[in-house]
């Protein structure tokens, strides 16, 4: 005999809800499309799945699905608006920071370095080596280069050729600590330096395998 008062359990009710995979489906939403779109959709063998995936992708792209967890639709909209406000605030801060950096850059470019009064007109040849080595003032580099060259010449004096060091731009740079461009200009202005190397027959490989010059020669 049939049960006149059947009890619908929670499990039974759950089975009655339409599902897509393991997820429950909501109520149908009827939408009309443009004629050309309608024609394409009706020819699709998996029309319903295609439309569901297309809508879900659009919602995810807009941040209305999954991005904000299990919150309600209204909460998601509010979250999007709050995010938009934060983005605008950050953009304003970035613009202000860029303006400040540009102003600082312009100030640095236009500002002229001021030399310390006691360095103006300095006779660097009279400055002690310990003080000269730590100076970056204009004019000090040339004196460092000159002293490095003299130190190499003094070291080579009276030594056998194999013990001597070549008077090269690289060796002068190691000893003086000056910039390559400054040393190159110094050598160009003093061609007799190359004559020194020629007189001893130094080759570019003369110092290969030797102890680094800065560990042997000081000034």
């Amino acid at each position: 005999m049939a049960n006149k008062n059947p009890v619908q359990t929670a499990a039974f009710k759950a089975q009655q809800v339409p599902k897509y995979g393991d997820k429950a489906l909501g109520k149908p939403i009827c939408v009309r499309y443009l004629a050309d779109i309608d024609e394409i959709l009706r020819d699709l063998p998996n029309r319903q799945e295609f439309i569901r995936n297309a809508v879900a992708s659009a919602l995810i792209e807009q941040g209305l699905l999954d991005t904000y967890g299990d919150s309600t639709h209204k909460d998601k909209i509010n979250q999007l608006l709050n995010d938009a406000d934060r983005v605008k605030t950050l953009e304003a801060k970035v613009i202000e920071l860029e303006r400040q950096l540009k102003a600082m850059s312009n100030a640095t470019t236009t500002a002229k370095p001021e030399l310390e009064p006691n360095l103006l007109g300095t006779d660097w040849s009279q400055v002690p080596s310990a003080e000269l080595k730590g100076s970056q003032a204009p004019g000090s580099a040339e004196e460092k280069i000159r002293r490095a060259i003299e130190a190499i010449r003094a070291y080579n004096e009276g030594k056998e050729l194999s013990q001597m060091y070549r008077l090269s731009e690289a060796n002068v740079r190691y000893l003086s600590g000056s910039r390559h461009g400054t040393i190159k200009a110094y050598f160009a202005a003093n061609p007799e330096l190359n004559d020194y190397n020629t007189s001893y027959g130094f080759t570019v490989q003369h110092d290969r395998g030797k102890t680094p010059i800065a560990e042997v020669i000081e000034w």
Side-chain angles (χ1 to χ4, degrees), residues 11 17 25 41 43 45 60 69 90 98-99 120 127 133 159-161 164 172 193-194 200 203:
V17 178
L25 293 174
L41 291 176
D43 287 339
I60 292 173
L90 288 174
E98 289 177 343
R99 185 192 65 78
L120 295 175
V127 176
K133 289 178 180 179
K159 288 186 171 58
E160 295 182 1
L161 185 64
M164 299 170 67
V172 172
L193 298 178
N194 290 323
Y200 285 101
T203 66

Side-chain angles (χ1 to χ4, degrees), residues 119 124 127 129-141 144:
L119 294 180
W124 292 104
V127 176
S129 293
E131 181 180 343
L132 178 63
K133 289 178 180 179
S135 177
Q136 298 297 326
S140 62
K144 293 177 187 178

Side-chain angles (χ1 to χ4, degrees), residues 114-189:
E114 296 182 1
L115 298 178
E116 296 180 13
N118 61 339
L119 294 180
L120 295 175
T122 298
D123 182 1
W124 292 104
S125 64
Q126 302 302 313
V127 176
S129 293
E131 181 180 343
L132 178 63
K133 289 178 180 179
S135 177
Q136 298 297 326
S140 62
E142 286 74 10
E143 180 61 19
K144 293 177 187 178
I145 294 171
R146 189 191 69 79
R147 294 192 191 186
I149 292 172
E150 291 303 316
I152 294 174
R153 282 176 163 170
Y155 177 84
N156 288 342
E157 191 70 28
K159 288 186 171 58
E160 295 182 1
L161 185 64
S162 61
Q163 297 176 319
M164 299 170 67
Y165 281 86
R166 181 167 169 256
L167 186 55
S168 64
E169 294 178 10
N171 282 340
V172 172
R173 184 170 71 253
Y174 295 143
L175 291 183
S176 68
S178 299
R179 296 179 181 275
H180 174 71
T182 305
I183 297 172
K184 194 173 187 65
Y186 191 98
F187 269 69

Side-chain angles (χ1 to χ4, degrees), residues 39-63:
E39 182 178 355
I40 295 173
L41 291 176
R42 291 185 184 279
D43 287 339
L44 293 176
N46 55 343
R47 180 171 63 251
Q48 290 185 352
E49 182 179 0
F50 178 86
I51 294 175
R52 289 192 184 106
N53 290 338
V55 173
S57 297
L59 291 174
I60 292 173
E61 184 177 349
Q62 294 295 323

